[in-house]
Amino acid sequence: PFITVTGSSFVEMFVGVGAARVRDLFAEARKRSPAIIFIDEIDAIGQRRGGGGGFVSNEEREQTLNQMLAEMDGFDPLEGIAVLAATNRPETLDPALLRPGRFDRQVTIPLPNQQERRAILELHCRDKKLADDVDLDKLSRGTPGFSGADLANLVNEAAIFAARADRDVLTAKDFDDARDRIILGRREDSNVLLPDERHAVAVHEAGHAIVAALSEHADPVAKVTILPSGQALGVTHQLPVDERHLYRESYLRDSLAVRLGGRAAELVVFSEASTGAANDLASATDLAIKMVTEFGLSPEVGPVGYPSGGPMFLPGGPEVRSRAYAEETQRLIDKEVA
């Protein structure tokens, strides 16, 4: 038997209800043992307890957690019951939950690699009609960093594009448009650029493409467009040949050059810059900061790592940077980043 519950279903306004539900859950599992209990979003009840300061906390969530700890590894032996739990906030869990005898094995689920993405795409394309030009290998190569849910969404969006065109067969272009839609946002036909703007965007994207093509270590260019999508007025899309897990300094420097190629092209052709490079500058600066402070690639600062904080599985939150160095080092870091 596979018994599944969510962490939030134990949390109640009334005192003792959560703990009683935990008791009932384990009693039910003991009756039906051997059994598997799966608790989703365990961080709802398993967060670190506030035991500092010498006060006694009587919070309802803590009673629930205490009951869970006692059930899993108390005096009663837990025979024939395997307990699994899932969370994407492992850093907030109470240390007592992770001790031997409780959740003593941690399995990290990373984002899928290229072969796994191909298998996931095959799964979601099983009941869809695909045209002959759809290459799942190429599609899996062009979706680095996509999770399983992202890939399901990609196939769904491609099906929507085909349905809008009154087709029941999905073509390579449908998948291409779907990927652009997910990465960049919706393409607005009403968002028409002025002729001089279109010329500026074309020059900018040509700069990215030429620098990428001429850089020895950069990823090859797969697609260049000056049709506005979402917030982007134009895009130069590069496709890595292989999925890398390690990047050399030469690759990172070429990556910086490609990001700044659009701004450089504007300066060459128009002799002045525009606001179109804001996103490039932000991502290039972010990469440069990582190269100096985390990867130790600056000879001036040296092989020192000052990693930034933030939860591991939830990107995009406000990052809290605690500075473990002096003002003088900060000045040196700023100079090296520039």
Side-chain angles (χ1 to χ4, degrees):
F2 186 80
I3 305 166
T4 161
V5 290
T6 58
S8 56
S9 63
F10 295 113
V11 181
E12 277 284 359
M13 190 175 85
F14 303 105
V15 176
V17 171
R21 282 187 183 160
V22 172
R23 282 195 295 276
D24 293 346
L25 171 70
F26 279 88
E28 175 72 15
R30 279 194 182 92
K31 263 190 260 172
R32 298 162 66 181
S33 82
I36 297 172
I37 296 175
F38 177 71
I39 305 167
D40 200 11
E41 303 297 352
I42 185 79
D43 54 279
I45 53 169
Q47 283 185 14
R48 199 177 293 269
R49 288 169 290 184
F55 62 87
V56 178
S57 173
N58 196 25
E59 195 187 341
E60 165 66 4
R61 193 166 48 79
E62 293 197 5
Q63 311 303 329
T64 310
L65 175 58
N66 286 337
Q67 184 64 47
M68 171 107 39
L69 295 173
E71 290 286 354
M72 286 179 72
D73 193 22
F75 281 118
D76 286 347
L78 194 62
E79 287 173 7
I81 300 175
V83 189
L84 309 176
T87 177
N88 50 12
R89 298 291 304 274
E91 73 280 357
T92 66
L93 292 181
D94 194 274
L97 263 181
L98 306 177
R99 290 202 184 116
R102 289 170 183 151
F103 293 114
D104 48 8
R105 302 212 177 166
Q106 294 180 45
V107 182
T108 305
I109 310 290
L111 291 172
N113 61 28
Q114 190 177 328
Q115 286 86 11
E116 290 162 354
R117 285 199 299 274
R118 193 206 145 88
I120 293 168
L121 283 167
E122 272 179 7
L123 179 75
H124 291 301
C125 291
R126 242 185 350 203
D127 52 350
K128 313 262 191 305
K129 293 181 190 166
L130 301 183
D132 295 336
D133 62 349
V134 176
D135 181 1
L136 290 184
D137 283 320
K138 187 179 173 191
L139 201 58
S140 63
R141 217 181 86 213
T143 48
F146 273 44
S147 66
D150 289 329
L151 294 168
N153 191 26
L154 177 78
V155 177
N156 195 34
E157 287 287 347
I160 290 172
F161 276 109
R164 280 188 183 143
D166 282 335
R167 282 183 282 107
D168 59 354
V169 176
L170 276 61
T171 64
K173 187 177 185 307
D174 294 329
F175 282 103
D176 210 34
D177 292 342
R179 194 186 63 208
D180 287 354
R181 166 77 202 255
I182 291 169
I183 294 174
L184 304 172
R186 187 156 163 238
R187 179 161 289 162
E188 296 285 358
D189 295 330
S190 59
N191 191 4
V192 181
L193 298 177
L194 298 172
D196 61 327
E197 286 180 330
R198 195 178 303 141
H199 182 211
V201 173
V203 167
H204 183 100
E205 297 307 328
H208 285 309
I210 288 170
V211 175
L214 296 177
S215 297
E216 187 188 347
H217 305 285
D219 293 326
V221 177
K223 175 180 179 179
V224 184
T225 175
I226 58 166
L227 297 174
S229 295
Q231 299 291 313
L233 299 179
V235 175
T236 302
H237 187 66
Q238 294 169 271
L239 256 188
V241 180
D242 300 304
E243 193 155 356
R244 293 181 169 279
H245 303 94
L246 196 78
Y247 298 99
R248 293 186 183 278
E249 187 178 354
S250 51
Y251 176 90
L252 296 177
R253 284 188 178 276
D254 279 359
S255 184
L256 284 179
V258 172
R259 290 174 203 208
L260 298 175
R263 175 68 165 259
E266 287 181 32
L267 293 173
V268 169
V269 176
F270 304 120
S271 303
E272 62 173 353
S274 71
T275 57
N279 197 32
D280 300 332
L281 297 177
S283 70
T285 307
D286 196 41
L287 176 58
I289 289 171
K290 282 198 167 81
M291 286 171 71
V292 174
T293 59
E294 291 185 35
F295 307 148
L297 297 177
S298 155
E300 291 294 316
V301 177
V304 189
Y306 303 114
S308 54
M312 190 164 64
F313 294 105
L314 295 175
E319 207 170 83
V320 183
R321 286 180 186 269
S322 58
R323 272 208 343 225
Y325 42 84
E327 285 290 335
E328 192 58 42
T329 312
Q330 180 68 62
R331 191 173 289 115
L332 185 59
I333 287 171
D334 293 341
K335 184 163 155 279
E336 284 299 290
V337 167

